[in-house]
Amino acid sequence: MLTFFLRRLLSLPPLLLVISLMTYMLLQLSPGDFYAKLEQDQKYGFDYVMQLRTSVGRVVKVAEADRAKDIGSFTIADRVYSFSAEGALLKDGSPVDPKLEQAWVKRFRLPGDSSQLWSISERGNVYRWVGWTRGYVAWFGNVITGDLGTSWSHKAPVMDVMLERLWNTLKLEIVALIIAWGLAIPLGVWSGVRPNSLLDHLCGAVAYMSLSMPGVFLSLLALFLALSTGWFPVGDMHSLDHERMGFFAQLTDAGWHIILPASVIGFTSIAYYMRQMRGQMVEAMSSDYVRTARAKGVSARRVQFVHALRNAINPLVTMFGFSLAALLSGSFLVELIFNWPGLAVVTTNAVFAKDEPLVMASVLFSALLLVAGNMFADVLLAIVDPRIRAE
Amino acid sequence: MSPLRMSPGTTPSWTPRAAVAACALFSLVLAACSGDVPQGRLVNPADVKRAQPDKPVAPDSGTSKAVEEEHVEAARLDPPADMNDPRAKIPAYFQPVQVEPPFDADCTGLYGGTVTLGLLGETIDTFNPLTSNEATSSELSGLVFDTLTSYDSGAWRSRPSLAWKWEVSPDYLTWTFHLRKGVRFSDGTPMTAKDVVFSFEKTCFNPKIANSAVDGFKIGDAPLPTFQAVDDHTVIAKCAAIDALFLDHCSGVPIVPSARWKDAVEGDQPAYNSAMGAEHPEEVIGTGPYRVIQYATGEKIVYEPNPYSWRTAKNGQRLPYAERIVAKLVKDNTTRTLQFLGGGFDLMDSIQVVDFPQFSEKEKEGWFDLHRLGLSLNVTWLSFNQNPGMTPEGKPKIAPYRLKWFQDERFRRAVNHAVDRDQLVKNILDGRGEAIWSDTPRSNKSWFSEVTRFTYAPAKANALLDGMGLAKRDSDGIRLDAEGHRVSFDLMTNVENPIRIKVIAQLKDFLAAVGVEAQLKPAAFQEISKQLDDVHQWEAMVLGWGSAVPPDPLNGKNIHLSSGRLHVWYPQQPKPFRDWETAADSIISMLDRNPDPEARRPLWALYLQLQANQQSTIYLYAPNEYAASRSRIHNRRPSLLRPSTWWNFEELWTVDGK
């Protein structure tokens, strides 16, 4: 068992390395970056945007004295550019206003080194873009020392941003898990024990609905229900005057708000577990050991729950492990529509906005959770199935 | 879609927000005039105290005939509050302050109650308005911070704030600001000229503190203005060049306590860059009517009256009235709509045109008002790439035969004649919008000017295209040029915006009717942005401009100047490409250096006509702008300018006191 865990743990660093490297590459190779949208806003000058990029290490500003040495001269569209000793931009040997040369020098590469991107801003500042390899190495170096960086959109340490949202998402997901598993297992077992009974058919219908109804649709439907009946709040995690309530009122308030979104998440995953459970149960119930147990005179209840269930549950335990991995990112649409201040929305928005430090951290986090979820499932399996322990 | 900010206009809040730049026109500051202008018709400037709509101008087109007649919101003047009501008594939480001269707002109200705003957004980046890059954060900063002068969205002009009076020298280079006496920050420290000078010189003009407010003060190569304290209540600003929007640029600089921040602005990495982060509401100290007491991440920001608030009404009441303001953050626009309709909050800006029927139906229940604010200042346009440049590989950016069409004025006029804008508005917006012929819609009270319209006339379009030598057609009915190229091009827009996708589909049909083929190429906003900025290999594009406050033409310099970054059809020209662009550039630079409103308005009218003749950007339509507010809130003065319903938050009060 111990070597098994060690092996799992040892496979973790290479896995994280590959995942983070791929993510970083994809982020860098797709067009635009977090600050690109500011460039399209008339309110912000290019110099300002480059200043922001410098502050997060996307670009490096080249000092005036080093320009002539670092860049030398280069040709764009038959214009020869170079730098004076003071670092001023020259065109064909004479000084020129960088603002008017923006069409050519805003982003350019030197003929000798096509991998390196340079920029000269409207005010004549020269910037060297940090390539993805160097960027990754810098990021990796920081992560090794435990620094995940500062989120660009939240302007706060990534760890803080994630931790303050983590609990909100966990609350939602744990309630959803309880709803999903709490319903799926008994219903699955029941319909597996009595295949083709009325209950089995009813469960089947529910499963089809759960499988075929997209989460977004279900969420909106739930919101409309809340709006038209007034039984539940229309989204949110708390009432607006939550802080002014007493302890029990706060608890009730939180519970009242969590029911709808958690039910939606639970309902969308209920079918998988229920159908899986039913299939396994049906198979187990028709196996030889069940017949033997019956023949020995063991009670039907004991046969079902001790003999059949323990054999049937293995795949479900594995699925439970996987569901842990999806814990943090799986509820994006529900969080969005129910206006839940959770982590999934933050990390998904980070991907859209290309907030690199936050994306990288959340990818690392998800990978860790996936591995942890699998290990947890293995432990559970070992507990419920002695055969696995023996191996 | 969040109208008054330029974004790709995406519906879901999680799609990349496209900031395509604010353009928009008119300075209120200076538009207190009404002059006879040679060019076209000008709507009278807002010279009134209360938000007064421009008189509805009968649309020359039959745009909204099919749908119900929309009316522009009439000024909603609430009856004065009953001063004998015990709730009219000034609450004890206000500290005594003696402000000279007093603010004298023209309102009455009762104290207490909570006003809630529903903002579309997930988070705020910082409480520091100087370093924030989000429209929402900057708008909210008005609750907490004051500036020398502020902008009155009701009257569309600058109004006194911390400075109660100012003078400018005849050469427009020296400004003298007279500050109110007795103003205190929310921590109780007095606000003096020292803080004003600090806020300008040490924060905004600090090269180590990246901010966009400073860009406004950069006029050509002239050095930045200098601010000096003459005494505790007088500040003199000396400019090196005339800045027509100097007061507006000053209203972008929040006045912060110098004692609190003096160490944070020093050094190579000033701590001020990360000061007032979302997690530190206690650091947010200003002179505004409110102070932040809580930020619940992803949920809400809670404000409480600043006990030292210096604003007063004419009847001597201390402002603000509301005891609490809650700015609720809502991630998704559909959810925001449902929450408002469920009574979840009081004030809702930027209602999408598609949601109008839902709101107007529910309005009949009588507990809220839907404000029909008139035509939005956000405009949607179509443009053809006229960039004659080469790619780094030495190939033309646009195939030469296509470039020849795009650069031909007749081609662009033909496209104009081929497009039925009224039909477009009817199909896309259900008639809730209007065809436009320039980037200045008529709702732009101070800067609108009538321009030549190339109205829908397919016959004229055909004649123009035939005249260009594109008369021959292939078997599909698409025109061919002399070398046999099909008259066909790629038409791009950002895929995140469902309305624009419909627009390009409609345009394709209109163009096909005159034998021109548009191949639809929706792309992610990041890609569009890269194309506009860097690659310049797009052929035709549909996008939009948002508006800024104040809506002055100079806020669109990047778009209008031939050297501008967002001069879409050929950006960042080393020197004006066409003669008319030389003329246009000099008009803009005259606007830049001419603070006289009488002179500026005809200049802008001239620019609009120049641009309309060329049709380098073909302006298509502007949607109607809507906002909603619950009737329990009093002193509502909705404005077309963003934020529509809560720009006068210190005056808002609740009828029920809740």
Side-chain angles (χ1 to χ4, degrees), chain A residues 5 8 12 316-327 365-381:
Chain A
F5 271 119
R8 274 291 168 87
L12 198 54
L316 272 290
V317 172
T318 312
M319 282 171 84
F320 184 70
F322 280 120
S323 73
L324 285 187
L327 209 60
F365 217 65
S366 299
L368 277 174
L369 262 182
L370 180 71
V371 174
N374 274 337
M375 277 165 65
F376 183 64
D378 289 336
V379 175
L380 275 184
L381 270 183

PDB file of all heavy atoms in Angstrom, chain A residues 5 8 12 316-327 365-381:
ATOM      1  N   PHE A   5       1.315   4.260  -2.826  1.00  0.00           N
ATOM      2  CA  PHE A   5       1.153   5.707  -2.637  1.00  0.00           C
ATOM      3  C   PHE A   5       2.382   6.464  -3.086  1.00  0.00           C
ATOM      4  O   PHE A   5       2.300   7.490  -3.733  1.00  0.00           O
ATOM      5  CB  PHE A   5       0.877   6.011  -1.163  1.00  0.00           C
ATOM      6  CG  PHE A   5      -0.577   5.965  -0.865  1.00  0.00           C
ATOM      7  CD1 PHE A   5      -1.090   5.068   0.043  1.00  0.00           C
ATOM      8  CD2 PHE A   5      -1.433   6.832  -1.530  1.00  0.00           C
ATOM      9  CE1 PHE A   5      -2.438   5.021   0.287  1.00  0.00           C
ATOM     10  CE2 PHE A   5      -2.784   6.785  -1.275  1.00  0.00           C
ATOM     11  CZ  PHE A   5      -3.288   5.873  -0.364  1.00  0.00           C
ATOM     12  N   ARG A   8       2.442   6.786  -6.711  1.00  0.00           N
ATOM     13  CA  ARG A   8       1.507   7.830  -7.127  1.00  0.00           C
ATOM     14  C   ARG A   8       2.095   9.233  -6.911  1.00  0.00           C
ATOM     15  O   ARG A   8       2.015  10.108  -7.769  1.00  0.00           O
ATOM     16  CB  ARG A   8       0.210   7.734  -6.317  1.00  0.00           C
ATOM     17  CG  ARG A   8      -0.798   6.764  -6.880  1.00  0.00           C
ATOM     18  CD  ARG A   8      -1.346   7.295  -8.180  1.00  0.00           C
ATOM     19  NE  ARG A   8      -2.098   6.286  -8.895  1.00  0.00           N
ATOM     20  CZ  ARG A   8      -3.391   6.067  -8.693  1.00  0.00           C
ATOM     21  NH1 ARG A   8      -4.044   6.783  -7.832  1.00  0.00           N
ATOM     22  NH2 ARG A   8      -4.012   5.132  -9.369  1.00  0.00           N
ATOM     23  N   LEU A  12       3.569  12.530  -9.571  1.00  0.00           N
ATOM     24  CA  LEU A  12       2.929  13.849  -9.518  1.00  0.00           C
ATOM     25  C   LEU A  12       3.782  14.964 -10.125  1.00  0.00           C
ATOM     26  O   LEU A  12       3.289  15.692 -11.002  1.00  0.00           O
ATOM     27  CB  LEU A  12       2.568  14.154  -8.056  1.00  0.00           C
ATOM     28  CG  LEU A  12       1.539  15.246  -7.839  1.00  0.00           C
ATOM     29  CD1 LEU A  12       0.284  14.972  -8.634  1.00  0.00           C
ATOM     30  CD2 LEU A  12       1.206  15.357  -6.359  1.00  0.00           C
ATOM     31  N   LEU A 316     -18.392   2.654  -8.569  1.00  0.00           N
ATOM     32  CA  LEU A 316     -18.946   3.898  -8.032  1.00  0.00           C
ATOM     33  C   LEU A 316     -17.921   4.633  -7.193  1.00  0.00           C
ATOM     34  O   LEU A 316     -17.847   5.856  -7.198  1.00  0.00           O
ATOM     35  CB  LEU A 316     -20.182   3.585  -7.159  1.00  0.00           C
ATOM     36  CG  LEU A 316     -21.542   3.501  -7.826  1.00  0.00           C
ATOM     37  CD1 LEU A 316     -21.975   4.885  -8.272  1.00  0.00           C
ATOM     38  CD2 LEU A 316     -21.567   2.543  -8.983  1.00  0.00           C
ATOM     39  N   VAL A 317     -17.109   3.885  -6.477  1.00  0.00           N
ATOM     40  CA  VAL A 317     -16.075   4.501  -5.643  1.00  0.00           C
ATOM     41  C   VAL A 317     -15.074   5.228  -6.542  1.00  0.00           C
ATOM     42  O   VAL A 317     -14.655   6.350  -6.255  1.00  0.00           O
ATOM     43  CB  VAL A 317     -15.387   3.429  -4.777  1.00  0.00           C
ATOM     44  CG1 VAL A 317     -14.187   4.032  -4.071  1.00  0.00           C
ATOM     45  CG2 VAL A 317     -16.370   2.876  -3.780  1.00  0.00           C
ATOM     46  N   THR A 318     -14.726   4.586  -7.659  1.00  0.00           N
ATOM     47  CA  THR A 318     -13.813   5.235  -8.593  1.00  0.00           C
ATOM     48  C   THR A 318     -14.433   6.522  -9.126  1.00  0.00           C
ATOM     49  O   THR A 318     -13.787   7.568  -9.224  1.00  0.00           O
ATOM     50  CB  THR A 318     -13.508   4.285  -9.759  1.00  0.00           C
ATOM     51  OG1 THR A 318     -13.164   3.007  -9.209  1.00  0.00           O
ATOM     52  CG2 THR A 318     -12.368   4.803 -10.593  1.00  0.00           C
ATOM     53  N   MET A 319     -15.721   6.433  -9.458  1.00  0.00           N
ATOM     54  CA  MET A 319     -16.405   7.626  -9.970  1.00  0.00           C
ATOM     55  C   MET A 319     -16.422   8.732  -8.930  1.00  0.00           C
ATOM     56  O   MET A 319     -16.297   9.918  -9.253  1.00  0.00           O
ATOM     57  CB  MET A 319     -17.846   7.283 -10.357  1.00  0.00           C
ATOM     58  CG  MET A 319     -17.946   6.578 -11.699  1.00  0.00           C
ATOM     59  SD  MET A 319     -19.607   5.984 -11.979  1.00  0.00           S
ATOM     60  CE  MET A 319     -20.379   7.421 -12.637  1.00  0.00           C
ATOM     61  N   PHE A 320     -16.551   8.338  -7.665  1.00  0.00           N
ATOM     62  CA  PHE A 320     -16.560   9.332  -6.597  1.00  0.00           C
ATOM     63  C   PHE A 320     -15.234  10.090  -6.573  1.00  0.00           C
ATOM     64  O   PHE A 320     -15.193  11.303  -6.412  1.00  0.00           O
ATOM     65  CB  PHE A 320     -16.812   8.625  -5.254  1.00  0.00           C
ATOM     66  CG  PHE A 320     -16.942   9.566  -4.103  1.00  0.00           C
ATOM     67  CD1 PHE A 320     -18.063  10.378  -3.991  1.00  0.00           C
ATOM     68  CD2 PHE A 320     -15.939   9.674  -3.146  1.00  0.00           C
ATOM     69  CE1 PHE A 320     -18.189  11.254  -2.938  1.00  0.00           C
ATOM     70  CE2 PHE A 320     -16.057  10.558  -2.091  1.00  0.00           C
ATOM     71  CZ  PHE A 320     -17.185  11.348  -1.993  1.00  0.00           C
ATOM     72  N   GLY A 321     -14.153   9.353  -6.792  1.00  0.00           N
ATOM     73  CA  GLY A 321     -12.834   9.993  -6.851  1.00  0.00           C
ATOM     74  C   GLY A 321     -12.754  11.024  -7.948  1.00  0.00           C
ATOM     75  O   GLY A 321     -12.273  12.132  -7.751  1.00  0.00           O
ATOM     76  N   PHE A 322     -13.279  10.660  -9.099  1.00  0.00           N
ATOM     77  CA  PHE A 322     -13.258  11.606 -10.214  1.00  0.00           C
ATOM     78  C   PHE A 322     -14.120  12.830  -9.923  1.00  0.00           C
ATOM     79  O   PHE A 322     -13.795  13.946 -10.304  1.00  0.00           O
ATOM     80  CB  PHE A 322     -13.744  10.935 -11.504  1.00  0.00           C
ATOM     81  CG  PHE A 322     -12.688  10.102 -12.154  1.00  0.00           C
ATOM     82  CD1 PHE A 322     -12.869   8.744 -12.354  1.00  0.00           C
ATOM     83  CD2 PHE A 322     -11.493  10.682 -12.563  1.00  0.00           C
ATOM     84  CE1 PHE A 322     -11.885   7.976 -12.945  1.00  0.00           C
ATOM     85  CE2 PHE A 322     -10.509   9.927 -13.158  1.00  0.00           C
ATOM     86  CZ  PHE A 322     -10.696   8.559 -13.353  1.00  0.00           C
ATOM     87  N   SER A 323     -15.245  12.593  -9.250  1.00  0.00           N
ATOM     88  CA  SER A 323     -16.133  13.730  -8.987  1.00  0.00           C
ATOM     89  C   SER A 323     -15.458  14.730  -8.060  1.00  0.00           C
ATOM     90  O   SER A 323     -15.752  15.913  -8.098  1.00  0.00           O
ATOM     91  CB  SER A 323     -17.465  13.253  -8.421  1.00  0.00           C
ATOM     92  OG  SER A 323     -17.306  12.833  -7.085  1.00  0.00           O
ATOM     93  N   LEU A 324     -14.520  14.255  -7.237  1.00  0.00           N
ATOM     94  CA  LEU A 324     -13.772  15.184  -6.394  1.00  0.00           C
ATOM     95  C   LEU A 324     -12.911  16.101  -7.260  1.00  0.00           C
ATOM     96  O   LEU A 324     -12.768  17.284  -6.985  1.00  0.00           O
ATOM     97  CB  LEU A 324     -12.874  14.424  -5.423  1.00  0.00           C
ATOM     98  CG  LEU A 324     -13.553  13.762  -4.245  1.00  0.00           C
ATOM     99  CD1 LEU A 324     -12.499  13.202  -3.296  1.00  0.00           C
ATOM    100  CD2 LEU A 324     -14.410  14.772  -3.486  1.00  0.00           C
ATOM    101  N   ALA A 325     -12.346  15.534  -8.326  1.00  0.00           N
ATOM    102  CA  ALA A 325     -11.470  16.318  -9.186  1.00  0.00           C
ATOM    103  C   ALA A 325     -12.237  17.430  -9.879  1.00  0.00           C
ATOM    104  O   ALA A 325     -11.711  18.509 -10.127  1.00  0.00           O
ATOM    105  CB  ALA A 325     -10.811  15.422 -10.212  1.00  0.00           C
ATOM    106  N   ALA A 326     -13.499  17.167 -10.192  1.00  0.00           N
ATOM    107  CA  ALA A 326     -14.299  18.167 -10.904  1.00  0.00           C
ATOM    108  C   ALA A 326     -14.932  19.151  -9.940  1.00  0.00           C
ATOM    109  O   ALA A 326     -15.658  20.048 -10.341  1.00  0.00           O
ATOM    110  CB  ALA A 326     -15.372  17.470 -11.722  1.00  0.00           C
ATOM    111  N   LEU A 327     -14.632  18.965  -8.655  1.00  0.00           N
ATOM    112  CA  LEU A 327     -15.285  19.740  -7.607  1.00  0.00           C
ATOM    113  C   LEU A 327     -15.191  21.244  -7.842  1.00  0.00           C
ATOM    114  O   LEU A 327     -16.142  21.974  -7.660  1.00  0.00           O
ATOM    115  CB  LEU A 327     -14.590  19.403  -6.290  1.00  0.00           C
ATOM    116  CG  LEU A 327     -15.421  19.508  -5.036  1.00  0.00           C
ATOM    117  CD1 LEU A 327     -16.585  18.564  -5.120  1.00  0.00           C
ATOM    118  CD2 LEU A 327     -14.572  19.167  -3.838  1.00  0.00           C
ATOM    119  N   PHE A 365      -3.919  23.425  -9.303  1.00  0.00           N
ATOM    120  CA  PHE A 365      -4.851  23.032  -8.260  1.00  0.00           C
ATOM    121  C   PHE A 365      -5.736  21.878  -8.712  1.00  0.00           C
ATOM    122  O   PHE A 365      -5.921  20.895  -8.010  1.00  0.00           O
ATOM    123  CB  PHE A 365      -5.707  24.261  -7.950  1.00  0.00           C
ATOM    124  CG  PHE A 365      -6.028  24.400  -6.515  1.00  0.00           C
ATOM    125  CD1 PHE A 365      -5.020  24.631  -5.595  1.00  0.00           C
ATOM    126  CD2 PHE A 365      -7.340  24.318  -6.077  1.00  0.00           C
ATOM    127  CE1 PHE A 365      -5.323  24.774  -4.261  1.00  0.00           C
ATOM    128  CE2 PHE A 365      -7.646  24.452  -4.744  1.00  0.00           C
ATOM    129  CZ  PHE A 365      -6.629  24.680  -3.835  1.00  0.00           C
ATOM    130  N   SER A 366      -6.272  22.000  -9.939  1.00  0.00           N
ATOM    131  CA  SER A 366      -7.161  20.971 -10.463  1.00  0.00           C
ATOM    132  C   SER A 366      -6.410  19.661 -10.644  1.00  0.00           C
ATOM    133  O   SER A 366      -6.932  18.585 -10.334  1.00  0.00           O
ATOM    134  CB  SER A 366      -7.749  21.388 -11.805  1.00  0.00           C
ATOM    135  OG  SER A 366      -8.485  22.550 -11.644  1.00  0.00           O
ATOM    136  N   ALA A 367      -5.160  19.764 -11.139  1.00  0.00           N
ATOM    137  CA  ALA A 367      -4.377  18.552 -11.340  1.00  0.00           C
ATOM    138  C   ALA A 367      -4.126  17.855 -10.005  1.00  0.00           C
ATOM    139  O   ALA A 367      -4.250  16.630  -9.885  1.00  0.00           O
ATOM    140  CB  ALA A 367      -3.057  18.892 -12.012  1.00  0.00           C
ATOM    141  N   LEU A 368      -3.807  18.672  -8.985  1.00  0.00           N
ATOM    142  CA  LEU A 368      -3.582  18.109  -7.660  1.00  0.00           C
ATOM    143  C   LEU A 368      -4.838  17.422  -7.145  1.00  0.00           C
ATOM    144  O   LEU A 368      -4.786  16.339  -6.578  1.00  0.00           O
ATOM    145  CB  LEU A 368      -3.176  19.217  -6.689  1.00  0.00           C
ATOM    146  CG  LEU A 368      -1.699  19.596  -6.708  1.00  0.00           C
ATOM    147  CD1 LEU A 368      -1.454  20.797  -5.823  1.00  0.00           C
ATOM    148  CD2 LEU A 368      -0.862  18.410  -6.242  1.00  0.00           C
ATOM    149  N   LEU A 369      -5.972  18.078  -7.377  1.00  0.00           N
ATOM    150  CA  LEU A 369      -7.231  17.515  -6.903  1.00  0.00           C
ATOM    151  C   LEU A 369      -7.549  16.204  -7.599  1.00  0.00           C
ATOM    152  O   LEU A 369      -8.045  15.264  -6.991  1.00  0.00           O
ATOM    153  CB  LEU A 369      -8.373  18.494  -7.173  1.00  0.00           C
ATOM    154  CG  LEU A 369      -8.777  19.356  -6.013  1.00  0.00           C
ATOM    155  CD1 LEU A 369      -9.933  20.239  -6.403  1.00  0.00           C
ATOM    156  CD2 LEU A 369      -9.164  18.493  -4.821  1.00  0.00           C
ATOM    157  N   LEU A 370      -7.228  16.163  -8.902  1.00  0.00           N
ATOM    158  CA  LEU A 370      -7.492  14.948  -9.667  1.00  0.00           C
ATOM    159  C   LEU A 370      -6.703  13.797  -9.075  1.00  0.00           C
ATOM    160  O   LEU A 370      -7.238  12.713  -8.811  1.00  0.00           O
ATOM    161  CB  LEU A 370      -7.109  15.167 -11.130  1.00  0.00           C
ATOM    162  CG  LEU A 370      -7.327  13.976 -12.055  1.00  0.00           C
ATOM    163  CD1 LEU A 370      -8.812  13.760 -12.265  1.00  0.00           C
ATOM    164  CD2 LEU A 370      -6.632  14.185 -13.388  1.00  0.00           C
ATOM    165  N   VAL A 371      -5.421  14.054  -8.828  1.00  0.00           N
ATOM    166  CA  VAL A 371      -4.572  13.013  -8.266  1.00  0.00           C
ATOM    167  C   VAL A 371      -5.060  12.640  -6.870  1.00  0.00           C
ATOM    168  O   VAL A 371      -5.203  11.461  -6.526  1.00  0.00           O
ATOM    169  CB  VAL A 371      -3.107  13.483  -8.243  1.00  0.00           C
ATOM    170  CG1 VAL A 371      -2.237  12.460  -7.535  1.00  0.00           C
ATOM    171  CG2 VAL A 371      -2.611  13.722  -9.653  1.00  0.00           C
ATOM    172  N   ALA A 372      -5.363  13.680  -6.072  1.00  0.00           N
ATOM    173  CA  ALA A 372      -5.826  13.424  -4.711  1.00  0.00           C
ATOM    174  C   ALA A 372      -7.135  12.646  -4.729  1.00  0.00           C
ATOM    175  O   ALA A 372      -7.324  11.708  -3.945  1.00  0.00           O
ATOM    176  CB  ALA A 372      -6.005  14.744  -3.970  1.00  0.00           C
ATOM    177  N   GLY A 373      -8.029  13.017  -5.647  1.00  0.00           N
ATOM    178  CA  GLY A 373      -9.312  12.332  -5.745  1.00  0.00           C
ATOM    179  C   GLY A 373      -9.111  10.865  -6.078  1.00  0.00           C
ATOM    180  O   GLY A 373      -9.757   9.978  -5.500  1.00  0.00           O
ATOM    181  N   ASN A 374      -8.187  10.594  -7.002  1.00  0.00           N
ATOM    182  CA  ASN A 374      -7.910   9.212  -7.374  1.00  0.00           C
ATOM    183  C   ASN A 374      -7.343   8.412  -6.215  1.00  0.00           C
ATOM    184  O   ASN A 374      -7.725   7.266  -5.981  1.00  0.00           O
ATOM    185  CB  ASN A 374      -6.918   9.173  -8.546  1.00  0.00           C
ATOM    186  CG  ASN A 374      -7.660   9.297  -9.856  1.00  0.00           C
ATOM    187  OD1 ASN A 374      -8.839   8.991  -9.928  1.00  0.00           O
ATOM    188  ND2 ASN A 374      -6.962   9.764 -10.870  1.00  0.00           N
ATOM    189  N   MET A 375      -6.436   9.080  -5.491  1.00  0.00           N
ATOM    190  CA  MET A 375      -5.836   8.384  -4.355  1.00  0.00           C
ATOM    191  C   MET A 375      -6.881   8.108  -3.295  1.00  0.00           C
ATOM    192  O   MET A 375      -6.922   7.018  -2.711  1.00  0.00           O
ATOM    193  CB  MET A 375      -4.671   9.210  -3.787  1.00  0.00           C
ATOM    194  CG  MET A 375      -3.399   8.963  -4.581  1.00  0.00           C
ATOM    195  SD  MET A 375      -2.096  10.142  -4.296  1.00  0.00           S
ATOM    196  CE  MET A 375      -1.684   9.864  -2.626  1.00  0.00           C
ATOM    197  N   PHE A 376      -7.732   9.066  -3.080  1.00  0.00           N
ATOM    198  CA  PHE A 376      -8.801   8.903  -2.111  1.00  0.00           C
ATOM    199  C   PHE A 376      -9.699   7.736  -2.516  1.00  0.00           C
ATOM    200  O   PHE A 376     -10.070   6.889  -1.695  1.00  0.00           O
ATOM    201  CB  PHE A 376      -9.597  10.211  -2.037  1.00  0.00           C
ATOM    202  CG  PHE A 376     -10.686  10.206  -1.011  1.00  0.00           C
ATOM    203  CD1 PHE A 376     -10.377  10.083   0.331  1.00  0.00           C
ATOM    204  CD2 PHE A 376     -12.013  10.331  -1.384  1.00  0.00           C
ATOM    205  CE1 PHE A 376     -11.381  10.074   1.281  1.00  0.00           C
ATOM    206  CE2 PHE A 376     -13.026  10.321  -0.433  1.00  0.00           C
ATOM    207  CZ  PHE A 376     -12.703  10.194   0.903  1.00  0.00           C
ATOM    208  N   ALA A 377      -9.996   7.665  -3.816  1.00  0.00           N
ATOM    209  CA  ALA A 377     -10.833   6.582  -4.315  1.00  0.00           C
ATOM    210  C   ALA A 377     -10.136   5.242  -4.100  1.00  0.00           C
ATOM    211  O   ALA A 377     -10.780   4.247  -3.724  1.00  0.00           O
ATOM    212  CB  ALA A 377     -11.132   6.803  -5.789  1.00  0.00           C
ATOM    213  N   ASP A 378      -8.811   5.223  -4.317  1.00  0.00           N
ATOM    214  CA  ASP A 378      -8.073   3.977  -4.115  1.00  0.00           C
ATOM    215  C   ASP A 378      -8.151   3.504  -2.674  1.00  0.00           C
ATOM    216  O   ASP A 378      -8.313   2.309  -2.393  1.00  0.00           O
ATOM    217  CB  ASP A 378      -6.611   4.166  -4.529  1.00  0.00           C
ATOM    218  CG  ASP A 378      -6.486   4.297  -6.039  1.00  0.00           C
ATOM    219  OD1 ASP A 378      -7.400   3.790  -6.742  1.00  0.00           O
ATOM    220  OD2 ASP A 378      -5.526   4.921  -6.519  1.00  0.00           O
ATOM    221  N   VAL A 379      -8.031   4.493  -1.774  1.00  0.00           N
ATOM    222  CA  VAL A 379      -8.119   4.139  -0.355  1.00  0.00           C
ATOM    223  C   VAL A 379      -9.496   3.576  -0.040  1.00  0.00           C
ATOM    224  O   VAL A 379      -9.639   2.531   0.601  1.00  0.00           O
ATOM    225  CB  VAL A 379      -7.828   5.373   0.525  1.00  0.00           C
ATOM    226  CG1 VAL A 379      -8.033   5.033   1.995  1.00  0.00           C
ATOM    227  CG2 VAL A 379      -6.417   5.868   0.281  1.00  0.00           C
ATOM    228  N   LEU A 380     -10.500   4.269  -0.544  1.00  0.00           N
ATOM    229  CA  LEU A 380     -11.865   3.810  -0.304  1.00  0.00           C
ATOM    230  C   LEU A 380     -12.060   2.399  -0.844  1.00  0.00           C
ATOM    231  O   LEU A 380     -12.635   1.530  -0.191  1.00  0.00           O
ATOM    232  CB  LEU A 380     -12.864   4.742  -0.981  1.00  0.00           C
ATOM    233  CG  LEU A 380     -13.277   5.982  -0.195  1.00  0.00           C
ATOM    234  CD1 LEU A 380     -14.344   6.746  -0.962  1.00  0.00           C
ATOM    235  CD2 LEU A 380     -13.808   5.578   1.169  1.00  0.00           C
ATOM    236  N   LEU A 381     -11.538   2.186  -2.050  1.00  0.00           N
ATOM    237  CA  LEU A 381     -11.660   0.869  -2.678  1.00  0.00           C
ATOM    238  C   LEU A 381     -11.009  -0.194  -1.806  1.00  0.00           C
ATOM    239  O   LEU A 381     -11.564  -1.267  -1.585  1.00  0.00           O
ATOM    240  CB  LEU A 381     -10.970   0.873  -4.045  1.00  0.00           C
ATOM    241  CG  LEU A 381     -11.824   1.264  -5.234  1.00  0.00           C
ATOM    242  CD1 LEU A 381     -11.017   1.156  -6.511  1.00  0.00           C
ATOM    243  CD2 LEU A 381     -13.060   0.367  -5.315  1.00  0.00           C
TER     244      LEU A 381
END
